[in-house]
Amino acid sequence: MVQKIATREAYGEALVELGRECKDVVVLDADLSKSTKTASFAKIFPERFYNMGIAEANMMGTAAGLAAAGKIPFVSTFAVFATGRAFDQIRNSIAYPHLNVKICASHAGVTVGEDGGSHQSIEDISLMRSLPGMTVIVPADGPETKQAVRAAAELEGPVYIRLGRSGVPVLFDAEYEFVVGKAATLRQGEDVALLAGGIMVAEALEAARTLAEKGIRAQVINVSTIKPLDTEAVVAAARKTGAVVTCEEHSIIGGLGGAVAETLAEQCPVPLERVGVRDQFGQSGKPSELLAEYGLTAQHIVAAAERVLARKGKRA
Amino acid sequence: MDLEADTRAFLEEKAQAIRRDIVRMVSTAASGHPGGSLSAVEIITSLYFKVMRLDPACPDWAERERFVLSKGHAAPALYAALAERGYFAVDKLVTLRQLGSPLQGHPDMMRLPGVEMSTGSLGQGLSAACGMALAAKLDKADWRVYVLLGDGETQEGQIWEAAMAAAHYRLDNLTAYLDYNRLQIDGPIRDVMNPEPVADKWKAFGWNVLSVDGHSFKEILAATEEAQLDKDRPTMIICHTVKGKGVSFMENEADWHGKAPNAEDTERALAELA
Protein backbone atom coordinates (compact mmCIF):
# COMPACT_ATOMS: atom_id res chain seq x y z
CA MET A 1 0.00 0.00 0.00
CA VAL A 2 1.38 3.38 -1.04
CA GLN A 3 1.73 5.87 1.79
CA LYS A 4 -0.67 8.80 1.42
CA ILE A 5 -0.55 12.23 3.00
CA ALA A 6 -2.56 15.34 2.18
CA THR A 7 -0.47 18.33 1.14
CA ARG A 8 -2.28 20.42 3.77
CA GLU A 9 -0.98 18.04 6.45
CA ALA A 10 2.58 18.51 5.22
CA TYR A 11 2.00 22.27 5.21
CA GLY A 12 0.97 22.19 8.88
CA GLU A 13 4.14 20.32 9.79
CA ALA A 14 6.34 22.60 7.70
CA LEU A 15 4.88 25.69 9.36
CA VAL A 16 5.82 24.42 12.81
CA GLU A 17 9.39 23.75 11.66
CA LEU A 18 9.60 27.23 10.13
CA GLY A 19 8.14 28.77 13.26
CA ARG A 20 10.93 27.26 15.31
CA GLU A 21 13.62 28.54 12.97
CA CYS A 22 12.34 32.00 12.19
CA LYS A 23 10.66 34.28 14.70
CA ASP A 24 9.38 36.55 11.95
CA VAL A 25 7.06 33.85 10.61
CA VAL A 26 3.47 34.64 11.57
CA VAL A 27 0.33 32.78 10.53
CA LEU A 28 -3.17 34.07 9.78
CA ASP A 29 -6.27 32.00 9.25
CA ALA A 30 -9.97 32.69 8.70
CA ASP A 31 -11.68 30.28 11.08
CA LEU A 32 -10.47 27.19 9.24
CA SER A 33 -7.27 26.45 11.12
CA LYS A 34 -8.24 22.86 11.85
CA SER A 35 -8.90 22.24 8.17
CA THR A 36 -5.94 24.16 6.76
CA LYS A 37 -3.72 22.60 9.45
CA THR A 38 -2.41 25.90 10.76
CA ALA A 39 -3.85 24.86 14.14
CA SER A 40 -0.62 23.05 15.06
CA PHE A 41 1.34 26.29 14.59
CA ALA A 42 -1.31 28.13 16.61
CA LYS A 43 -0.91 25.69 19.48
CA ILE A 44 2.86 26.03 19.69
CA PHE A 45 3.19 29.72 18.80
CA PRO A 46 -0.07 31.33 19.96
CA GLU A 47 1.45 34.82 20.06
CA ARG A 48 2.32 34.57 16.35
CA PHE A 49 -0.99 33.16 15.20
CA TYR A 50 -3.89 35.43 14.28
CA ASN A 51 -7.33 34.03 13.77
CA MET A 52 -8.99 36.73 11.71
CA GLY A 53 -12.46 35.25 11.78
CA ILE A 54 -14.54 34.74 8.67
CA ALA A 55 -13.20 37.86 7.01
CA GLU A 56 -10.80 37.01 4.20
CA ALA A 57 -10.47 40.50 2.75
CA ASN A 58 -9.29 41.94 6.04
CA MET A 59 -7.04 38.93 6.58
CA MET A 60 -5.16 39.60 3.33
CA GLY A 61 -4.86 43.31 4.11
CA THR A 62 -3.64 42.60 7.62
CA ALA A 63 -1.05 40.22 6.22
CA ALA A 64 0.10 42.99 3.90
CA GLY A 65 0.58 45.29 6.88
CA LEU A 66 2.49 42.65 8.82
CA ALA A 67 4.75 42.09 5.81
CA ALA A 68 5.30 45.83 5.40
CA ALA A 69 6.53 45.82 9.01
CA GLY A 70 9.02 43.01 8.34
CA LYS A 71 7.06 39.88 9.24
CA ILE A 72 6.70 36.84 6.99
CA PRO A 73 2.97 36.13 7.05
CA PHE A 74 1.60 32.76 5.96
CA VAL A 75 -2.08 33.20 5.21
CA SER A 76 -4.42 30.25 4.98
CA THR A 77 -8.01 29.48 4.17
CA PHE A 78 -9.71 27.45 1.45
CA ALA A 79 -8.43 28.26 -2.03
CA VAL A 80 -11.83 29.39 -3.25
CA PHE A 81 -12.09 32.05 -0.52
CA ALA A 82 -8.44 33.11 -0.56
CA THR A 83 -8.19 33.76 -4.26
CA GLY A 84 -11.77 34.55 -5.16
CA ARG A 85 -13.27 36.44 -2.27
CA ALA A 86 -10.08 38.34 -1.48
CA PHE A 87 -8.75 38.77 -5.01
CA ASP A 88 -8.68 42.56 -4.95
CA GLN A 89 -6.92 42.56 -1.58
CA ILE A 90 -4.31 40.17 -2.94
CA ARG A 91 -3.99 42.27 -6.07
CA ASN A 92 -3.82 45.75 -4.58
CA SER A 93 -2.50 45.25 -1.04
CA ILE A 94 -0.11 42.34 -1.64
CA ALA A 95 0.92 41.85 -5.28
CA TYR A 96 0.94 45.50 -6.41
CA PRO A 97 3.36 46.51 -3.61
CA HIS A 98 5.15 43.13 -3.99
CA LEU A 99 4.84 42.38 -0.28
CA ASN A 100 6.29 39.30 1.31
CA VAL A 101 3.05 37.42 1.94
CA LYS A 102 2.71 33.67 1.47
CA ILE A 103 -0.82 32.61 0.62
CA CYS A 104 -1.10 28.89 1.32
CA ALA A 105 -4.60 27.85 0.36
CA SER A 106 -6.00 24.41 1.01
CA HIS A 107 -9.01 22.47 -0.28
CA ALA A 108 -8.23 23.34 -3.89
CA GLY A 109 -9.85 21.51 -6.77
CA VAL A 110 -12.77 19.08 -6.95
CA THR A 111 -11.29 16.70 -4.37
CA VAL A 112 -12.83 18.94 -1.70
CA GLY A 113 -15.63 16.47 -2.38
CA GLU A 114 -18.96 16.54 -0.64
CA ASP A 115 -19.00 20.31 0.10
CA GLY A 116 -19.73 20.78 -3.58
CA GLY A 117 -19.09 23.31 -6.30
CA SER A 118 -19.29 26.40 -4.06
CA HIS A 119 -16.17 25.17 -2.27
CA GLN A 120 -14.26 23.61 -5.14
CA SER A 121 -11.69 26.06 -6.44
CA ILE A 122 -10.99 25.38 -10.10
CA GLU A 123 -9.85 28.86 -11.09
CA ASP A 124 -7.42 29.83 -8.32
CA ILE A 125 -4.26 29.15 -10.34
CA SER A 126 -5.64 31.20 -13.19
CA LEU A 127 -6.39 34.13 -10.88
CA MET A 128 -3.04 34.06 -9.08
CA ARG A 129 -1.05 33.50 -12.27
CA SER A 130 -2.49 36.67 -13.77
CA LEU A 131 -0.91 38.85 -11.06
CA PRO A 132 2.49 40.38 -11.88
CA GLY A 133 5.23 39.16 -9.56
CA MET A 134 3.19 36.38 -7.97
CA THR A 135 4.94 33.02 -7.69
CA VAL A 136 2.51 30.11 -8.04
CA ILE A 137 3.40 26.68 -6.70
CA VAL A 138 1.33 23.50 -6.85
CA PRO A 139 3.14 20.76 -4.92
CA ALA A 140 2.54 17.17 -5.95
CA ASP A 141 2.90 15.47 -2.58
CA GLY A 142 3.71 15.93 1.07
CA PRO A 143 7.51 16.03 0.85
CA GLU A 144 7.41 18.51 -2.03
CA THR A 145 4.98 20.67 -0.06
CA LYS A 146 7.41 20.86 2.84
CA GLN A 147 10.21 21.98 0.54
CA ALA A 148 7.94 24.45 -1.24
CA VAL A 149 6.85 26.08 2.02
CA ARG A 150 10.48 26.49 3.02
CA ALA A 151 11.39 27.88 -0.39
CA ALA A 152 8.49 30.32 -0.20
CA ALA A 153 9.72 31.61 3.16
CA GLU A 154 13.16 32.22 1.67
CA LEU A 155 11.83 33.94 -1.44
CA GLU A 156 11.20 37.69 -1.19
CA GLY A 157 7.76 38.59 -2.51
CA PRO A 158 4.26 37.17 -2.78
CA VAL A 159 3.81 33.43 -3.22
CA TYR A 160 0.70 31.32 -3.74
CA ILE A 161 0.90 27.66 -2.72
CA ARG A 162 -2.01 25.42 -3.67
CA LEU A 163 -2.82 22.63 -1.26
CA GLY A 164 -5.35 19.82 -1.27
CA ARG A 165 -7.72 18.24 1.19
CA SER A 166 -7.36 14.57 0.29
CA GLY A 167 -4.41 12.26 0.85
CA VAL A 168 -2.11 11.90 -2.14
CA PRO A 169 0.57 9.23 -2.66
CA VAL A 170 4.04 10.13 -1.45
CA LEU A 171 6.11 10.34 -4.63
CA PHE A 172 9.37 11.83 -3.48
CA ASP A 173 12.08 10.67 -1.12
CA ALA A 174 14.82 12.62 0.60
CA GLU A 175 16.80 12.78 -2.66
CA TYR A 176 14.20 14.93 -4.40
CA GLU A 177 15.00 18.59 -4.58
CA PHE A 178 12.31 21.19 -5.20
CA VAL A 179 13.54 24.40 -6.80
CA VAL A 180 11.19 27.34 -7.46
CA GLY A 181 10.73 27.72 -11.21
CA LYS A 182 12.17 24.30 -12.11
CA ALA A 183 10.13 21.46 -13.54
CA ALA A 184 11.34 17.93 -12.76
CA THR A 185 11.32 15.03 -15.18
CA LEU A 186 10.17 12.00 -13.21
CA ARG A 187 10.16 9.52 -16.10
CA GLN A 188 11.89 9.62 -19.45
CA GLY A 189 10.08 8.98 -22.71
CA GLU A 190 10.22 10.05 -26.35
CA ASP A 191 6.71 9.63 -27.72
CA VAL A 192 4.61 11.99 -25.67
CA ALA A 193 5.19 14.39 -22.75
CA LEU A 194 2.79 14.41 -19.80
CA LEU A 195 3.11 17.73 -17.96
CA ALA A 196 1.35 17.46 -14.63
CA GLY A 197 0.86 19.42 -11.46
CA GLY A 198 -0.47 18.69 -7.96
CA ILE A 199 -2.45 15.51 -7.40
CA MET A 200 -2.36 14.81 -11.16
CA VAL A 201 1.34 13.98 -11.05
CA ALA A 202 0.59 10.60 -9.48
CA GLU A 203 -2.12 10.03 -12.09
CA ALA A 204 0.29 10.95 -14.89
CA LEU A 205 2.85 8.46 -13.60
CA GLU A 206 0.20 5.76 -13.58
CA ALA A 207 -0.88 6.76 -17.07
CA ALA A 208 2.72 6.48 -18.24
CA ARG A 209 2.88 2.90 -16.94
CA THR A 210 -0.33 2.03 -18.80
CA LEU A 211 0.98 3.69 -21.95
CA ALA A 212 4.24 1.72 -21.64
CA GLU A 213 2.23 -1.49 -21.72
CA LYS A 214 0.87 -0.30 -25.06
CA GLY A 215 4.38 0.43 -26.30
CA ILE A 216 4.10 4.19 -25.91
CA ARG A 217 6.98 5.86 -24.09
CA ALA A 218 5.74 8.84 -22.10
CA GLN A 219 7.90 11.45 -20.44
CA VAL A 220 6.40 12.63 -17.16
CA ILE A 221 7.25 16.10 -15.88
CA ASN A 222 6.20 17.52 -12.53
CA VAL A 223 5.52 21.18 -13.21
CA SER A 224 5.15 22.24 -9.61
CA THR A 225 5.92 25.89 -10.25
CA ILE A 226 3.24 27.22 -12.56
CA LYS A 227 4.71 30.73 -12.38
CA PRO A 228 7.40 31.44 -13.28
CA LEU A 229 6.90 28.54 -15.67
CA ASP A 230 9.98 26.50 -16.57
CA THR A 231 9.53 27.33 -20.25
CA GLU A 232 12.88 25.79 -21.11
CA ALA A 233 11.74 22.40 -19.81
CA VAL A 234 8.33 22.73 -21.45
CA VAL A 235 9.76 23.63 -24.84
CA ALA A 236 12.45 20.94 -24.60
CA ALA A 237 9.82 18.29 -23.88
CA ALA A 238 7.70 19.50 -26.80
CA ARG A 239 10.71 19.42 -29.15
CA LYS A 240 11.69 15.95 -28.03
CA THR A 241 8.29 14.30 -28.08
CA GLY A 242 6.26 16.45 -30.49
CA ALA A 243 3.12 15.80 -28.44
CA VAL A 244 2.12 17.26 -25.09
CA VAL A 245 -0.62 16.53 -22.55
CA THR A 246 -1.18 18.81 -19.55
CA CYS A 247 -2.82 17.33 -16.45
CA GLU A 248 -4.29 19.42 -13.63
CA GLU A 249 -7.10 19.45 -11.12
CA HIS A 250 -8.13 22.90 -12.30
CA SER A 251 -9.95 24.52 -15.16
CA ILE A 252 -8.24 24.04 -18.51
CA ILE A 253 -8.53 27.82 -18.79
CA GLY A 254 -5.69 29.80 -17.29
CA GLY A 255 -3.89 27.17 -15.24
CA LEU A 256 -1.07 24.81 -16.18
CA GLY A 257 -2.79 23.92 -19.46
CA GLY A 258 -3.23 27.57 -20.28
CA ALA A 259 0.35 28.43 -19.37
CA VAL A 260 1.78 25.56 -21.44
CA ALA A 261 -0.49 26.38 -24.39
CA GLU A 262 0.68 30.01 -24.36
CA THR A 263 4.33 28.97 -24.23
CA LEU A 264 4.08 26.31 -26.94
CA ALA A 265 1.98 28.46 -29.28
CA GLU A 266 4.74 31.07 -29.23
CA GLN A 267 7.84 28.95 -29.05
CA CYS A 268 7.20 25.43 -30.27
CA PRO A 269 3.72 24.63 -31.59
CA VAL A 270 2.98 20.90 -31.26
CA PRO A 271 -0.29 19.02 -30.76
CA LEU A 272 -1.52 19.63 -27.21
CA GLU A 273 -4.31 18.11 -25.14
CA ARG A 274 -5.36 19.63 -21.84
CA VAL A 275 -6.70 17.30 -19.17
CA GLY A 276 -8.58 19.36 -16.58
CA VAL A 277 -12.00 20.66 -15.66
CA ARG A 278 -13.66 21.71 -18.89
CA ASP A 279 -15.14 25.13 -18.13
CA GLN A 280 -17.73 23.98 -15.64
CA PHE A 281 -18.26 24.06 -11.89
CA GLY A 282 -17.98 21.03 -9.64
CA GLN A 283 -20.64 19.35 -7.51
CA SER A 284 -20.96 17.21 -4.39
CA GLY A 285 -19.58 13.71 -4.45
CA LYS A 286 -16.74 11.56 -3.21
CA PRO A 287 -13.35 12.81 -4.38
CA SER A 288 -12.77 9.65 -6.43
CA GLU A 289 -16.20 9.96 -8.06
CA LEU A 290 -15.55 13.61 -8.89
CA LEU A 291 -12.16 12.89 -10.43
CA ALA A 292 -13.86 10.33 -12.68
CA GLU A 293 -16.81 12.64 -13.42
CA TYR A 294 -14.61 15.53 -14.50
CA GLY A 295 -12.10 13.49 -16.45
CA LEU A 296 -9.18 13.72 -14.04
CA THR A 297 -7.87 10.15 -13.85
CA ALA A 298 -4.98 8.18 -15.27
CA GLN A 299 -7.37 6.64 -17.79
CA HIS A 300 -8.33 10.11 -19.05
CA ILE A 301 -4.66 11.00 -19.39
CA VAL A 302 -4.05 7.81 -21.38
CA ALA A 303 -6.91 8.66 -23.70
CA ALA A 304 -5.63 12.23 -24.12
CA ALA A 305 -2.15 10.89 -24.88
CA GLU A 306 -3.59 8.63 -27.57
CA ARG A 307 -5.52 11.53 -29.10
CA VAL A 308 -2.50 13.76 -29.17
CA LEU A 309 -0.37 11.00 -30.68
CA ALA A 310 -2.94 10.53 -33.43
CA ARG A 311 -2.76 14.24 -34.20
CA LYS A 312 1.02 14.12 -34.19
CA GLY A 313 0.80 11.30 -36.74
CA LYS A 314 -1.44 13.36 -39.00
CA ARG A 315 1.01 16.24 -38.96
CA ALA A 316 3.95 14.06 -39.84
CA MET B 1 -3.93 70.79 25.56
CA ASP B 2 -3.03 74.39 24.93
CA LEU B 3 -1.26 74.67 21.64
CA GLU B 4 1.49 77.21 21.82
CA ALA B 5 1.01 80.12 19.48
CA ASP B 6 4.26 79.57 17.60
CA THR B 7 3.49 75.87 17.09
CA ARG B 8 0.11 76.73 15.72
CA ALA B 9 1.58 79.39 13.45
CA PHE B 10 4.17 76.88 12.20
CA LEU B 11 1.49 74.26 11.45
CA GLU B 12 -0.78 76.76 9.77
CA GLU B 13 2.07 77.91 7.56
CA LYS B 14 2.82 74.29 6.58
CA ALA B 15 -0.84 73.59 5.91
CA GLN B 16 -1.08 76.60 3.65
CA ALA B 17 2.04 75.51 1.72
CA ILE B 18 0.57 72.02 1.36
CA ARG B 19 -2.70 73.46 0.05
CA ARG B 20 -0.83 75.49 -2.54
CA ASP B 21 1.16 72.39 -3.50
CA ILE B 22 -2.05 70.39 -3.93
CA VAL B 23 -3.60 72.98 -6.22
CA ARG B 24 -0.43 73.27 -8.32
CA MET B 25 0.04 69.49 -8.57
CA VAL B 26 -3.50 68.70 -9.61
CA SER B 27 -3.58 71.66 -11.97
CA THR B 28 -0.31 70.64 -13.66
CA ALA B 29 -1.40 67.01 -13.88
CA ALA B 30 -4.78 68.17 -15.23
CA SER B 31 -6.32 65.35 -13.21
CA GLY B 32 -6.53 64.20 -9.61
CA HIS B 33 -8.61 64.74 -6.50
CA PRO B 34 -8.40 68.25 -4.99
CA GLY B 35 -11.56 68.13 -2.83
CA GLY B 36 -10.63 65.24 -0.55
CA SER B 37 -6.98 66.26 -0.51
CA LEU B 38 -7.79 69.75 0.77
CA SER B 39 -10.16 68.46 3.46
CA ALA B 40 -7.41 66.26 4.92
CA VAL B 41 -4.65 68.88 5.11
CA GLU B 42 -4.78 69.70 8.83
CA ILE B 43 -4.93 66.00 9.77
CA ILE B 44 -1.95 65.07 7.61
CA THR B 45 -0.01 68.20 8.57
CA SER B 46 -0.51 67.42 12.26
CA LEU B 47 0.86 63.92 11.78
CA TYR B 48 3.89 64.79 9.65
CA PHE B 49 4.89 68.01 11.42
CA LYS B 50 3.96 67.38 15.02
CA VAL B 51 2.83 63.88 15.95
CA MET B 52 4.89 61.21 14.23
CA ARG B 53 8.45 60.15 15.00
CA LEU B 54 10.11 60.18 11.58
CA ASP B 55 13.42 60.58 9.83
CA PRO B 56 12.97 61.82 6.26
CA ALA B 57 16.63 60.98 5.59
CA CYS B 58 15.95 57.38 6.56
CA PRO B 59 12.44 56.45 5.38
CA ASP B 60 12.95 52.78 6.35
CA TRP B 61 14.04 53.50 9.92
CA ALA B 62 12.59 50.58 11.88
CA GLU B 63 11.41 52.70 14.82
CA ARG B 64 9.55 55.24 12.69
CA GLU B 65 5.84 55.73 13.12
CA ARG B 66 3.60 54.72 10.25
CA PHE B 67 0.91 56.55 8.37
CA VAL B 68 -1.44 54.78 5.97
CA LEU B 69 -3.51 56.87 3.60
CA SER B 70 -6.45 54.54 3.19
CA LYS B 71 -8.29 57.12 1.08
CA GLY B 72 -5.55 56.85 -1.51
CA HIS B 73 -7.04 59.40 -3.88
CA ALA B 74 -5.90 62.11 -1.43
CA ALA B 75 -2.36 61.29 -2.61
CA PRO B 76 -1.58 64.94 -3.45
CA ALA B 77 -1.97 65.85 0.24
CA LEU B 78 0.35 63.01 1.28
CA TYR B 79 2.94 63.83 -1.39
CA ALA B 80 2.91 67.51 -0.48
CA ALA B 81 3.39 66.67 3.20
CA LEU B 82 6.28 64.30 2.40
CA ALA B 83 7.97 66.89 0.22
CA GLU B 84 7.46 69.75 2.67
CA ARG B 85 8.81 67.46 5.43
CA GLY B 86 11.96 66.79 3.40
CA TYR B 87 11.47 63.31 1.96
CA PHE B 88 12.05 64.66 -1.54
CA ALA B 89 12.36 68.00 -3.31
CA VAL B 90 9.22 70.13 -3.44
CA ASP B 91 9.82 70.83 -7.13
CA LYS B 92 9.23 67.13 -7.89
CA LEU B 93 5.59 67.52 -6.85
CA VAL B 94 4.53 68.74 -10.26
CA THR B 95 5.46 65.37 -11.79
CA LEU B 96 2.26 63.99 -10.22
CA ARG B 97 0.58 61.44 -12.49
CA GLN B 98 3.26 61.69 -15.19
CA LEU B 99 4.73 58.60 -16.83
CA GLY B 100 7.70 57.38 -14.81
CA SER B 101 7.01 59.61 -11.82
CA PRO B 102 7.21 58.17 -8.31
CA LEU B 103 4.13 60.28 -7.63
CA GLN B 104 1.56 57.88 -8.99
CA GLY B 105 -2.12 58.77 -9.18
CA HIS B 106 -2.55 56.77 -5.99
CA PRO B 107 0.23 56.09 -3.44
CA ASP B 108 2.72 53.43 -4.53
CA MET B 109 5.15 52.30 -1.82
CA MET B 110 7.35 50.61 -4.41
CA ARG B 111 8.03 53.88 -6.17
CA LEU B 112 8.08 56.49 -3.43
CA PRO B 113 10.07 56.14 -0.18
CA GLY B 114 8.00 57.42 2.71
CA VAL B 115 4.78 55.88 1.44
CA GLU B 116 4.01 53.11 3.93
CA MET B 117 1.33 51.28 1.97
CA SER B 118 0.10 51.25 -1.59
CA THR B 119 -3.53 52.28 -1.54
CA GLY B 120 -6.19 53.39 -3.94
CA SER B 121 -8.68 50.55 -4.01
CA LEU B 122 -10.84 51.86 -1.18
CA GLY B 123 -11.42 50.07 2.09
CA GLN B 124 -8.04 48.36 2.32
CA GLY B 125 -5.81 50.73 4.25
CA LEU B 126 -7.28 50.07 7.68
CA SER B 127 -6.50 46.36 7.36
CA ALA B 128 -2.89 47.11 6.47
CA ALA B 129 -2.64 49.52 9.39
CA CYS B 130 -3.95 46.76 11.67
CA GLY B 131 -1.23 44.43 10.36
CA MET B 132 1.43 47.02 11.14
CA ALA B 133 0.00 47.58 14.62
CA LEU B 134 0.01 43.82 15.25
CA ALA B 135 3.66 43.67 14.16
CA ALA B 136 4.57 46.48 16.58
CA LYS B 137 2.79 44.66 19.40
CA LEU B 138 4.54 41.40 18.56
CA ASP B 139 7.92 43.16 18.63
CA LYS B 140 6.96 45.09 21.77
CA ALA B 141 7.92 48.21 19.83
CA ASP B 142 6.56 51.60 20.85
CA TRP B 143 5.91 53.02 17.39
CA ARG B 144 2.31 53.81 16.59
CA VAL B 145 0.24 53.49 13.45
CA TYR B 146 -1.97 56.25 12.06
CA VAL B 147 -4.49 55.77 9.30
CA LEU B 148 -6.76 58.19 7.45
CA LEU B 149 -10.11 56.98 6.16
CA GLY B 150 -12.54 58.71 3.85
CA ASP B 151 -16.14 58.88 4.96
CA GLY B 152 -17.45 57.41 1.71
CA GLU B 153 -14.79 54.73 2.00
CA THR B 154 -16.44 53.35 5.12
CA GLN B 155 -19.20 52.04 2.86
CA GLU B 156 -16.76 49.23 2.02
CA GLY B 157 -17.41 46.08 4.07
CA GLN B 158 -13.71 45.43 4.62
CA ILE B 159 -13.53 48.54 6.83
CA TRP B 160 -15.88 46.87 9.29
CA GLU B 161 -14.01 43.59 9.15
CA ALA B 162 -10.91 45.55 10.09
CA ALA B 163 -12.77 47.59 12.73
CA MET B 164 -13.83 44.35 14.41
CA ALA B 165 -10.32 42.89 14.24
CA ALA B 166 -8.63 46.05 15.59
CA ALA B 167 -10.85 45.98 18.67
CA HIS B 168 -10.51 42.20 19.05
CA TYR B 169 -6.71 42.49 19.09
CA ARG B 170 -6.86 45.52 21.39
CA LEU B 171 -4.80 47.67 19.04
CA ASP B 172 -4.32 50.69 21.30
CA ASN B 173 -1.30 51.59 19.17
CA LEU B 174 -3.61 52.37 16.25
CA THR B 175 -5.26 55.76 15.72
CA ALA B 176 -7.66 56.28 12.85
CA TYR B 177 -8.93 59.59 11.51
CA LEU B 178 -12.14 59.89 9.55
CA ASP B 179 -12.10 62.71 7.03
CA TYR B 180 -15.79 63.41 7.44
CA ASN B 181 -16.33 65.90 4.63
CA ARG B 182 -19.76 64.45 3.84
CA LEU B 183 -19.36 64.31 0.08
CA GLN B 184 -18.46 61.53 -2.31
CA ILE B 185 -18.30 61.45 -6.11
CA ASP B 186 -21.99 61.01 -6.69
CA GLY B 187 -23.05 63.54 -4.06
CA PRO B 188 -23.73 63.81 -0.31
CA ILE B 189 -22.87 60.53 1.37
CA ARG B 190 -26.16 60.59 3.26
CA ASP B 191 -27.92 60.38 -0.13
CA VAL B 192 -25.58 57.85 -1.71
CA MET B 193 -25.29 55.47 1.26
CA ASN B 194 -25.78 56.99 4.67
CA PRO B 195 -23.11 55.93 7.17
CA GLU B 196 -24.83 57.51 10.20
CA PRO B 197 -24.78 57.11 13.12
CA VAL B 198 -21.02 57.13 12.53
CA ALA B 199 -19.81 57.56 16.12
CA ASP B 200 -22.21 54.91 17.42
CA LYS B 201 -21.05 52.42 14.81
CA TRP B 202 -17.39 52.72 15.80
CA LYS B 203 -18.30 52.66 19.49
CA ALA B 204 -20.36 49.53 18.93
CA PHE B 205 -17.32 47.94 17.29
CA GLY B 206 -15.35 48.53 20.47
CA TRP B 207 -13.40 51.65 19.56
CA ASN B 208 -12.62 54.72 21.58
CA VAL B 209 -14.37 57.43 19.57
CA LEU B 210 -13.54 61.15 19.63
CA SER B 211 -14.98 63.93 17.55
CA VAL B 212 -13.15 67.09 16.46
CA ASP B 213 -13.15 69.99 14.06
CA GLY B 214 -10.88 68.51 11.40
CA HIS B 215 -9.43 71.90 10.54
CA SER B 216 -8.45 72.80 14.10
CA PHE B 217 -4.88 71.82 14.95
CA LYS B 218 -5.68 72.32 18.61
CA GLU B 219 -8.53 69.83 18.52
CA ILE B 220 -6.78 67.29 16.27
CA LEU B 221 -3.67 67.29 18.44
CA ALA B 222 -5.58 67.10 21.70
CA ALA B 223 -7.60 64.13 20.45
CA THR B 224 -4.45 62.46 19.14
CA GLU B 225 -2.85 62.80 22.55
CA GLU B 226 -5.96 61.44 24.23
CA ALA B 227 -5.87 58.46 21.86
CA GLN B 228 -2.25 57.76 22.77
CA LEU B 229 -3.18 57.54 26.43
CA ASP B 230 -6.18 55.25 25.93
CA LYS B 231 -5.41 51.60 26.64
CA ASP B 232 -6.62 48.30 25.18
CA ARG B 233 -8.62 49.69 22.28
CA PRO B 234 -8.05 51.54 19.03
CA THR B 235 -9.22 55.13 18.64
CA MET B 236 -11.28 56.67 15.88
CA ILE B 237 -11.10 60.45 15.66
CA ILE B 238 -14.04 61.67 13.63
CA CYS B 239 -12.79 64.83 11.95
CA HIS B 240 -15.53 67.11 10.73
CA THR B 241 -14.09 68.69 7.63
CA VAL B 242 -15.02 70.70 4.59
CA LYS B 243 -14.37 69.20 1.20
CA GLY B 244 -12.19 71.53 -0.84
CA LYS B 245 -11.28 73.49 2.32
CA GLY B 246 -9.33 76.68 1.69
CA VAL B 247 -10.45 77.29 -1.89
CA SER B 248 -13.80 79.09 -1.72
CA PHE B 249 -15.25 77.81 -4.97
CA MET B 250 -14.24 74.20 -4.22
CA GLU B 251 -15.65 74.11 -0.71
CA ASN B 252 -18.58 71.75 -0.20
CA GLU B 253 -18.82 71.02 -3.92
CA ALA B 254 -18.95 67.31 -4.79
CA ASP B 255 -17.96 68.24 -8.31
CA TRP B 256 -14.43 69.05 -7.10
CA HIS B 257 -13.91 65.50 -5.81
CA GLY B 258 -12.00 64.41 -8.85
CA LYS B 259 -11.68 67.41 -11.15
CA ALA B 260 -8.58 69.46 -11.87
CA PRO B 261 -8.76 73.25 -11.92
CA ASN B 262 -8.07 75.01 -15.24
CA ALA B 263 -5.53 77.85 -15.48
CA GLU B 264 -7.99 80.51 -14.41
CA ASP B 265 -9.32 78.46 -11.47
CA THR B 266 -5.77 77.68 -10.43
CA GLU B 267 -4.86 81.36 -10.37
CA ARG B 268 -7.92 82.18 -8.26
CA ALA B 269 -7.22 79.29 -5.90
CA LEU B 270 -3.56 80.23 -5.42
CA ALA B 271 -4.53 83.86 -4.84
CA GLU B 272 -6.86 82.74 -2.05
CA LEU B 273 -4.11 80.59 -0.56
CA ALA B 274 -1.41 83.26 -0.76
Side-chain angles (χ1 to χ4, degrees), chain A residues 11 28 69 114 122 248 258 286 301:
Chain A
Y11 167 59
L28 296 87
E114 291 80 350
I122 45 152
E248 61 188 322
K286 292 189 180 71
I301 298 171

Side-chain angles (χ1 to χ4, degrees), chain A residues 51 58 71 88-89 93 97, chain B residues 121 124 127 139 158 161 169:
Chain A
N51 201 326
N58 180 52
K71 302 298 169 195
D88 187 45
Q89 287 72 24
S93 285
Chain B
S121 180
Q124 302 196 21
S127 301
D139 289 343
Q158 188 184 346
E161 294 182 6
Y169 283 105

